[in-house]
Amino acid sequence: MKTAQHPEQAAEFVANDARAHWHDQALWFVREKRDRMAVSLPEWEQLRDTASQIKLHTVSRMADYLEEFERNATKLGAVVHWAKDAQEHNEIVLSLLKKIDAKRIVKSKSMLTEECHLNPFLEEQGIEVVDTDLGERIVQLRKEAPSHIVLPAIHIKKEEVSETFHEHLQTEAGNNDPNYLTEAARNHLREKFVAADAGITGVNFAIAETGGLVVCTNEGNADLGVSLPKLHIACMGIEKLVPKAADLSVFLRLLARSATGQPITTYSSHFHGPRPGGELHIILVDNGRSNLMGSSQFRNSLKCIRCGACMNTCPVYRRSGGHSYGTTVPGPIGSILAPSRDSKQHKSLPFACTLCGSCTDVCPVKIDLHHELLEWRGEIRKRGQLPISKTLPMKFTSWMMQSPWLFGVVGAIGRWCLRHFPRWAIYHGLNPWGKQREMPESPKQSFRELYQIHESKKASDE
């Protein structure tokens, strides 16, 4: 995955104007479905408040609930492993697979395994890993990363899916009928399910009180993936924990409505220990989450249930695409999580935001996303990671705005230049604002001058 800064990577996406608009409209369609679902529940805001409080409480007692979960999961026959980072997580998975000499793995959608780069790690060991979520399988065949945590292939058109399937699954060239392509994918994946030596799933929720897991899918691929092989490996970030089984009803009602505008996810699969004759291994992964837990500024981001609602509504994400973020989790929540792991590498992400607050408005667990993004901007400045292209103009602007006289003079010069300069002198490579938008029409008078005229007229009328 590329690690260049967001503006450069976004430029690649927006260069295709038709795709950028189509992507924007597709996600806004999902956002509107979410709104219709939200207003259909009179208790929607109460659910959001409750979910937020449950998550805050869980984070405040995370160590206790993790130990309770381990005790209860072990009683059910599962084996619980602890991984401090991605490398340790991958090594644990590999050791479990080696014990049974597994060569073929089926995996349901798991953003944690994407975060840990598990697929390339296992493939280097000669193990075939097949993503069984349809969208993830499409991007896997195209050797791309998911561009959205819920809709991993949202950036790809059906014509491109047809080309990909023709190349890899030998489907009819040029046939982009969705039913035909879906049937081809189903037959292809069924063969992989039958031949698999082990199944890997993510975890949407883990319940401390019972030691059980819940995996939510719309295609039933998690159930199929762990029904035939004897080995089931469940990989979860420690923030997926909830204290009690009763808490699930709150989150299951919020999750699908916020993610795709559905009343509920098609399959909410509950796992309580291994199936008869099988093994269930649960890997609890930290990978930087403890650092967030210790931060009063960014602790709220651990409440995230990975619904993707903040991405669907974000004007920057919709117009720049998920790959422009260069992280497993893109969009507003990803722009908070990624700098917490490496602020130098991801320093541009908190600035990929208009601070409009729409993400905060739709978040089902009430994460103050745009406030945290603003906090990150200040934090990056304190760490000396802002480029001079931002620090210098900000220093000049600060100096200018401290003098009303100077502010007036600079404003007058700017308005004059906008009215009289030739177009090439305004729209060039040093003016990134003008790349895809027109500068505002310059008024002849400033607000201050108009206000003085208004006040003078008002005084004369009196």
Side-chain angles (χ1 to χ4, degrees), residues 213-423:
L213 308 171
V214 179
V215 182
C216 302
T217 70
N218 274 326
E219 299 164 19
N221 53 308
D223 300 312
L224 277 172
V226 300
S227 294
L228 294 176
K230 288 186 177 179
L231 177 60
H232 173 191
I233 304 172
C235 308
M236 62 170 274
I238 56 175
E239 82 282 8
K240 295 298 179 72
L241 207 59
V242 295
K244 297 182 180 301
D247 299 330
L248 276 178
S249 61
V250 176
F251 292 102
L252 291 176
R253 296 184 79 191
L254 287 168
L255 179 63
R257 286 179 169 89
S258 300
T260 54
Q262 298 168 244
I264 194 164
T265 314
T266 309
Y267 298 88
S268 296
S269 306
H270 296 243
F271 298 94
H272 291 88
R275 65 185 178 84
E279 295 179 38
L280 171 60
H281 292 261
I282 304 166
I283 308 176
L284 305 176
V285 184
D286 187 318
N287 204 31
R289 288 161 176 80
S290 292
N291 295 336
L292 279 173
M293 214 180 306
S295 164
S296 59
Q297 296 164 290
F298 308 116
R299 188 181 301 137
N300 265 346
S301 60
L302 286 174
K303 296 191 298 185
C304 179
I305 59 173
R306 303 291 193 271
C307 67
C310 60
M311 298 165 203
N312 301 339
T313 197
C314 175
V316 177
Y317 175 88
R318 296 200 320 267
R319 289 165 177 80
S320 63
H323 290 159
S324 64
Y325 291 78
T327 62
T328 302
V329 179
I333 185 65
S335 299
I336 296 168
L337 297 176
S340 71
R341 281 194 286 275
D342 188 338
S343 61
K344 188 175 181 182
Q345 181 179 349
H346 301 293
K347 61 190 177 188
S348 68
L349 295 187
F351 296 89
C353 169
T354 63
L355 299 179
C356 67
S358 184
C359 50
T360 301
D361 288 343
V362 301
C363 178
V365 287
K366 293 201 163 182
I367 302 173
D368 51 343
L369 289 150
H370 69 294
H371 291 292
E372 293 200 16
L373 286 165
L374 186 59
E375 286 280 351
W376 258 120
R377 293 184 184 186
E379 188 64 27
I380 286 170
R381 183 188 63 80
K382 287 178 193 170
R383 295 182 187 184
Q385 294 168 343
L386 270 183
I388 194 168
S389 60
K390 283 193 185 295
T391 54
L392 203 59
M394 286 168 70
K395 281 183 181 174
F396 172 76
T397 305
S398 171
W399 171 69
M400 176 190 70
M401 295 185 78
Q402 292 177 52
S403 165
W405 174 83
L406 186 60
F407 179 78
V409 170
V410 172
I413 293 172
R415 291 194 301 278
W416 187 89
C417 290
L418 280 176
R419 287 198 303 272
H420 296 94
F421 271 27
R423 185 176 177 82

Side-chain angles (χ1 to χ4, degrees), residues 154-169:
I154 188 68
H155 61 291
I156 301 170
K157 292 187 173 184
K158 63 180 181 179
E159 291 80 6
E160 294 166 313
V161 175
S162 173
E163 292 170 10
T164 303
F165 280 12
H166 174 63
E167 180 184 351
H168 296 277
L169 309 186

Side-chain angles (χ1 to χ4, degrees), residues 176-228:
N176 56 35
D177 175 63
N179 291 330
Y180 171 72
L181 296 175
T182 305
E183 188 64 29
R186 179 179 291 132
N187 292 333
H188 162 69
L189 288 172
R190 289 293 165 110
E191 292 175 6
K192 300 296 182 184
F193 282 127
V194 171
D197 299 314
I200 298 177
T201 68
V203 173
N204 288 92
F205 304 103
I207 306 105
E209 179 185 46
T210 65
L213 308 171
V214 179
V215 182
C216 302
T217 70
N218 274 326
E219 299 164 19
N221 53 308
D223 300 312
L224 277 172
V226 300
S227 294
L228 294 176

